Amino acid sequence: MTFLRRMFSSDYRAAVAAEASGNVDLAAERYGLAGEHADAVRMHLARAARAPSRNAELAALRDAMRWAGEDPALQRQAAAALGRALWEAAKAEGIATERDRQRVREASDLLVRGDDHALAGEALEAIGDHLAAANAYSAGGLVERMEAALAKDDDAAGQAREEADAFAGYQTAMRVGRRDEARSELVRAVAATSAAAEYRRLLDQLDTAMLTAGKVELKRRTKPLIVACGAPKLALGRDPLCDLTLRAGGVSRQHAEIEWSGDAFVLRDLDSRNGTSLAGMPLAGRVPLVGSGRFALGDECLLDFECTDGVLVVRAAGGLDRGVALIAARDATRFDLAPVGLGLDLVFQRGRPLLGRGTSRDVTFNDEPLGDIRVQLIRGDRVVAGGEEIDIG
């Protein structure tokens, strides 16, 4: 606008007067109406500097961007100011969601347009986009920063491959029942990424489900519970933490214990209130369980036992727990589950139950056919053998 046209423009005169009085909002509006884009941008930038809140600041800077029009110099000035404000807002409010990351990318794009390549690269590096940061540095001729960002991108790519490989290994190991291996792969995935919350959740979930104490419960849908053990000592009593929990009257919380000693399973009473008897005789001290027979916890809880080739089977003979069975062997000893009515076999290694299909041929493990390999059982697994469903606990 020429000098004379300015003098005869009421909007221009009003804008000058408003600016002189410090009313930058009115000045910005009137400069715009007068067609003075540069002054309108200048006033919107002044509005942003005086804004009472971050939202008001950003609104003023976006107005400056609109009034910059197609003028390259004005665009650079407004873009740099808006980009810096968006980046400061992102840092102040935190970068946690994808929406936050998109705001950082918008800030970076504006900073590049405003020729502030260093700050654009810094913003992109903050969200882990090192390759885009390298491009921003390159556009600004910042060679050392570009090379450093490219090196970080290579490292990040390597970590991403490590993370993906570890998680794939975890999924495979879980599917084929190698739970210790699955846990190791999750630990590797956690180490490979800074955003490990989901892997930590899976790791906690797996740790909770792991069976490592030499005991596994085989819960059949319509038949009594089977407890398989490979621990050196087995506790019997009312306490839910006992290896064989019994609900009959007269049974103490920790009533009796069976221990592998030498070459035999040995029974002893744990100072229970109602005592333990073997073949009708009160138990005194530690007594080996040989062959087959019956012992009682108190007067009401009768338990039949059979010991063959280092494998002990104990079965409740009556009462609330009638039919509940315990089958036990030493750690690292393979034993068939046929004595408790299943065609499967089991071995405990370091307290972990490893299941094999034994004589059964139609076995599925978590809906997958079970082949010749053993699977490490954890809580929540589901086995179907010969049409019989078994939940693992």
Side-chain angles (χ1 to χ4, degrees), residues 86-87 89-91 93-107 123 127:
L86 285 171
W87 173 225
K91 288 193 294 182
E93 296 170 17
I95 306 168
T97 66
E98 184 56 32
R99 184 176 180 180
D100 297 332
R101 292 168 62 85
Q102 288 297 338
R103 181 163 64 168
V104 173
R105 289 192 181 93
E106 180 188 2
I127 60 172

Side-chain angles (χ1 to χ4, degrees), residues 154-169:
D154 287 342
D155 290 342
Q159 286 184 332
R161 287 192 296 271
E162 178 77 2
E163 176 189 350
D165 182 65
F167 187 64

